[in-house]
Amino acid sequence: ITNASTDSLFFLHEFGIRKTFPEKCLQEAQDFGKTVKKQDRQGRLDLTHLNSMTIDPVTAKDFDDALSITVDENNHYHLGVHIADAAFYVKAGTELDKEAKKRANSTYFPNECVPMLPEHLSNGLCSLKPNVIRLAVSILMHFDEKGALLEKTIKRSFIKSKKRWSYPEALSCLQGKKKSPYKKALENLKDLAMLLKKQRQLRGSIDFSLIDSKILIGEIGEPKGIVKEEYDVTHQLVEEFMLKANELVALTLSDLGRDLIYRIHEEPNSDNFADFLVTAKSLGFSLEDPPTDQEIQMLFQEARHSPHFQRLSLSFIKAMKLACYSKKNIGHYGLKLSHYAHFTSPIRRYADLTVQRILFNEMEAEDLDETASYISDQERNSMKAENAVIFLKKLRLIQKIYKKDPNKKYLATITSVKPYAIFFEIQDVLIEGSLHISQIGRDFFVFCPRKNALIGERTKTSYSFGTEIFVKVKEVDLTFQQAKFFLC
């Protein structure tokens, strides 16, 4: 792959992801026009008076969700989670629906999005942009001062978002660095979100709040660098409200006796936890096998301010099974919820679009088991494509740096130790590499299971989880998509 501008196209083809829309599909989207028609608002709740706002990444264009909040004289919170009413536009059996189902979800690359719906809808008529009327499904919730839910209503509505926040901008406002007439609303959202987060922790759900990374891309697809993004309070407040809305919709439909597509997460078995237990014990944490939920939660509370928190979290996540979609509800292990469905992103996930239809009895006869299985497979397929593009961009970045400075040293952290090798992640670029046991020093290294470490017999040099090392690039091969390193 010689041309960086075609990286995403290469993997779209590799993973069979559809980029262009059929003409009939595009025409159906265009036929809705650019603005919400007056007759389309009839029978809906008028919520244009609310201080609705969106909080999304800087580069976002498809705004699925908006939030509104008021606090009454009893210090009770009145929260609105407003979700784009994509189901109003994408009716079952239409060309739009057929194409959306084939795609199953939007696919996101570092420099572009391959949407599930045509941009006329995804970035236009369905997107909850500021200062324009949009159709929505609103979950209106009433909480007391301790965050206990007192009542909820789910209605079709129309809203007019008052403010489009980016995460950095919202954080700046909360920190007092930026003035805004909506600062108080943001503060109220944060306060309620922290109450809900506390409830989630009490039921055993683990809050990771991991640092994420974003690769910066130039105009022709060349990588320019890596920026790390902290999962700050603005990300957390959006997450808490989306979790609550998804849970309430799943509970509502279950209580009504309706079949739906759940988002399920199986409990891991002891075999999956083997590597995690070895890693945790090598760092001095005491855990049973298998560990209880309380032990795991206590471990992460103790480790939160240690240098090992990020690595431990990733090790734990790898030990868990992947969440998926299913008509059969077995609950969500990670969230510790008995009922959970995806509902809040109907612009970019077919599961959410389906649940919207079920909510308003607009479903045609459909095999939900088959649909759930298909969209689960497509979701994993998109994830593989996204990860492949990101990895290739990082390889290009390393190659670019290597050409300028072949002797550059990279600080890396060991993420896993096996009897035959050490695995590490380069801190600047966040790319993984490995070194065979024969490459790590002029010594005979023996694997110590108790310490989960490779230890030199003569020098007693130890390589274990969390150990920092320096490596240099030996070779970058874009054709085989791999990088080779050697120890400094």
Side-chain angles (χ1 to χ4, degrees):
I1 308 172
T2 57
N3 191 340
S5 64
T6 62
D7 286 348
S8 58
L9 284 174
F10 176 84
F11 285 110
L12 286 174
H13 177 74
E14 177 81 9
F15 289 93
I17 295 171
R18 305 161 73 86
K19 182 173 173 66
T20 57
F21 286 89
E23 194 57 42
K24 287 182 179 179
C25 181
L26 292 172
Q27 189 58 54
E28 279 187 359
Q30 293 285 343
D31 288 345
F32 290 113
K34 294 183 178 180
T35 58
V36 174
K37 298 178 178 66
K38 193 172 183 179
Q39 62 264 32
D40 294 340
R41 304 181 216 166
Q42 292 178 2
R44 290 175 175 266
L45 207 56
D46 182 351
L47 299 179
T48 53
H49 62 284
L50 293 177
N51 60 347
S52 302
M53 58 187 75
T54 60
I55 310 175
D56 292 278
V58 174
T59 56
K61 294 178 182 178
D62 53 346
F63 308 133
D64 285 284
D65 55 89
L67 301 169
S68 64
I69 195 165
T70 56
V71 180
D72 64 24
E73 64 277 5
N74 297 315
N75 289 321
H76 286 195
Y77 299 92
H78 298 268
L79 173 73
V81 175
H82 313 281
I83 306 302
D85 193 350
F88 176 82
Y89 297 103
V90 187
K91 302 294 186 185
T94 61
E95 294 302 317
L96 278 168
D97 176 54
K98 291 174 186 175
E99 185 65 20
K101 188 173 183 179
K102 287 175 182 174
R103 295 176 180 232
N105 49 257
S106 297
T107 302
Y108 292 89
F109 297 130
N111 55 333
E112 68 174 305
C113 166
V114 181
M116 183 180 78
L117 302 177
E119 287 189 13
H120 185 80
L121 293 180
S122 62
N123 294 358
L125 201 51
C126 286
S127 188
L128 305 181
K129 295 180 176 181
N131 304 315
V132 291
I133 289 175
R134 289 290 185 257
L135 303 184
V137 179
S138 296
I139 302 96
L140 304 173
M141 295 165 261
H142 178 190
F143 297 91
D144 68 16
E145 71 280 4
K146 295 181 180 178
L149 181 68
L150 301 179
E151 58 182 328
K152 62 101 170 61
T153 305
I154 304 175
K155 295 285 186 181
R156 274 188 149 151
S157 64
F158 58 97
I159 69 167
K160 183 186 282 189
S161 173
K162 302 296 193 294
K163 173 68 178 174
R164 180 273 199 260
W165 292 102
S166 67
Y167 285 122
E169 187 187 14
L171 181 63
S172 181
C173 183
L174 284 171
Q175 292 173 336
K177 299 174 183 176
K178 179 181 176 64
K179 292 183 179 180
S180 170
Y182 303 107
K183 181 179 181 181
K184 186 61 180 175
L186 269 183
E187 290 175 338
N188 289 333
L189 286 170
K190 183 197 75 171
D191 292 343
L192 176 57
M194 293 306 103
L195 292 173
L196 297 183
K197 181 179 177 180
K198 185 177 180 180
Q199 291 176 12
R200 183 160 61 86
Q201 291 171 333
L202 287 173
R203 67 174 184 255
S205 178
I206 298 170
D207 174 46
F208 293 112
S209 302
L210 298 176
I211 294 172
D212 197 8
S213 67
K214 181 181 179 182
I215 189 159
L216 302 176
I217 304 296
E219 290 183 6
I220 59 170
E222 285 291 335
K224 297 166 63 179
I226 301 280
V227 291
K228 294 181 181 179
E229 295 182 341
E230 186 179 348
Y231 194 77
D232 61 51
V233 68
T234 60
H235 297 76
Q236 293 171 45
L237 74 85
V238 172
E239 179 187 32
E240 291 302 330
F241 297 139
M242 296 308 112
L243 291 177
K244 179 56 71 173
N246 285 335
E247 178 195 6
L248 291 180
V249 167
L251 283 167
T252 298
L253 290 173
S254 178
D255 289 344
L256 290 171
R258 294 184 193 165
D259 290 335
L260 70 146
I261 294 176
Y262 290 94
R263 182 68 169 178
I264 62 167
H265 189 208
E266 291 184 72
E267 187 171 341
N269 56 43
S270 57
D271 291 342
N272 295 96
F273 266 124
D275 284 346
F276 172 70
L277 287 173
V278 169
T279 298
K281 288 178 179 178
S282 71
L283 294 171
F285 296 100
S286 178
L287 287 173
E288 295 295 321
D289 187 5
T292 65
D293 292 343
Q294 291 74 23
E295 282 181 316
I296 293 171
Q297 199 169 43
M298 185 69 70
L299 180 153
F300 282 106
Q301 286 174 0
E302 291 176 19
R304 175 159 293 278
H305 301 294
S306 78
H308 305 302
F309 179 73
Q310 183 93 354
R311 306 288 164 205
L312 269 175
S313 300
L314 292 172
S315 178
F316 180 75
I317 291 168
K318 286 180 180 179
M320 293 197 292
K321 295 182 179 180
L322 289 173
C324 64
Y325 297 107
S326 175
K327 180 182 172 183
K328 182 181 178 182
N329 182 30
I330 62 167
H332 197 291
Y333 170 78
L335 296 173
K336 296 295 184 288
L337 288 174
S338 62
H339 294 72
Y340 190 69
H342 271 169
F343 170 77
T344 54
S345 296
I347 293 175
R348 60 186 179 89
R349 293 190 303 228
Y350 195 78
D352 305 52
L353 184 61
T354 301
V355 172
Q356 267 195 349
R357 290 175 182 156
I358 295 169
L359 188 62
F360 298 107
N361 285 314
E362 293 179 349
M363 277 293 292
E364 292 184 343
E366 184 172 328
D367 186 338
L368 291 182
D369 279 322
E370 184 181 323
T371 299
S373 176
Y374 175 76
I375 62 179
S376 294
D377 290 342
Q378 289 302 107
E379 177 185 57
R380 292 191 180 114
N381 192 53
S382 282
M383 285 175 60
K384 289 176 183 176
E386 290 166 353
N387 290 335
V389 172
I390 291 170
F391 183 70
L392 180 55
K393 294 295 186 189
K394 288 180 177 180
L395 285 180
R396 288 192 185 280
L397 183 60
I398 285 179
Q399 186 184 61
K400 184 178 176 181
I401 296 169
Y402 177 72
K403 287 179 179 178
K404 288 183 179 179
D405 182 7
N407 293 312
K408 180 177 172 61
K409 292 182 179 181
Y410 289 95
L411 180 62
T413 306
I414 294 177
T415 56
S416 179
V417 180
K418 301 294 181 184
Y420 55 87
I422 58 173
F423 297 82
F424 56 85
E425 183 180 66
I426 293 176
Q427 294 184 12
D428 286 348
V429 191
L430 298 178
I431 195 170
E432 292 184 336
S434 66
L435 291 169
H436 188 265
I437 191 170
S438 62
Q439 298 174 280
I440 61 175
R442 295 178 180 178
D443 201 345
F444 184 76
F445 284 86
V446 178
F447 180 68
C448 176
R450 185 174 59 84
K451 295 183 178 180
N452 189 30
L454 284 171
I455 301 173
E457 283 195 340
R458 180 174 54 83
T459 62
K460 303 303 179 187
T461 302
S462 176
Y463 294 101
S464 60
F465 176 88
T467 300
E468 291 187 337
I469 58 175
F470 281 97
V471 296
K472 287 184 181 181
V473 174
K474 182 179 181 181
E475 178 189 1
V476 177
D477 190 326
L478 297 180
T479 302
F480 290 97
Q481 295 170 41
Q482 63 182 8
K484 295 180 180 178
F485 303 90
F486 62 92
L487 197 63
C488 295

